[in-house]
Amino acid sequence: MIAQVFDTTGEPGEPTDEFRKFAEEAMAEGRKHDGVEASISLADPATGRTLVINVFRDRAAMDAFQAYSNAKIAEVEKLTPGVKVATPDVYTEVIALL
């Protein structure tokens, strides 16, 4: 398995209901793509830091997911002015997934 980790910092504060709904729907839809094994979104309201971790069966599945991911990133950046989602880090070994 392979994972990509997005680490983004925005304004501190609780995520809005609109953002929560967007994230839940985007991740549920993304999870339906072939080869997506898991996805999680974490937020720290005190710092404004958000982590999104996507785990894939293999690099081919991750590469196939990119068009969907890029579209959702564009939506996030529109929904949260001032936030620019950086290129994710890629971890080529997922040691354990429960």
Side-chain angles (χ1 to χ4, degrees):
M1 286 185 284
I2 188 169
Q4 61 179 191
V5 179
F6 292 90
D7 187 346
T8 304
T9 301
E11 292 295 319
E14 292 291 329
T16 64
D17 289 342
E18 178 184 23
F19 183 79
R20 284 180 187 277
K21 182 176 189 263
F22 168 80
E24 289 170 4
E25 290 174 356
M27 293 189 80
E29 186 63 31
R31 184 70 173 86
K32 294 177 185 175
H33 285 75
D34 182 48
V36 177
E37 302 294 330
S39 293
I40 188 169
S41 179
L42 308 168
D44 182 350
T47 64
R49 186 174 178 200
T50 301
L51 293 175
V52 174
I53 304 168
N54 297 312
V55 180
F56 302 93
R57 177 184 57 233
D58 52 30
R59 183 170 291 276
M62 184 178 76
D63 291 345
F65 185 77
Q66 288 315 297
Y68 176 79
S69 180
N70 292 340
K72 292 301 158 187
I73 288 169
E75 288 183 50
V76 164
E77 292 175 347
K78 279 180 149 179
L79 190 61
T80 51
V83 169
K84 176 72 176 141
V85 177
T87 302
D89 291 320
V90 174
Y91 293 81
T92 58
E93 291 293 329
V94 175
I95 304 302
L97 178 63
L98 305 175

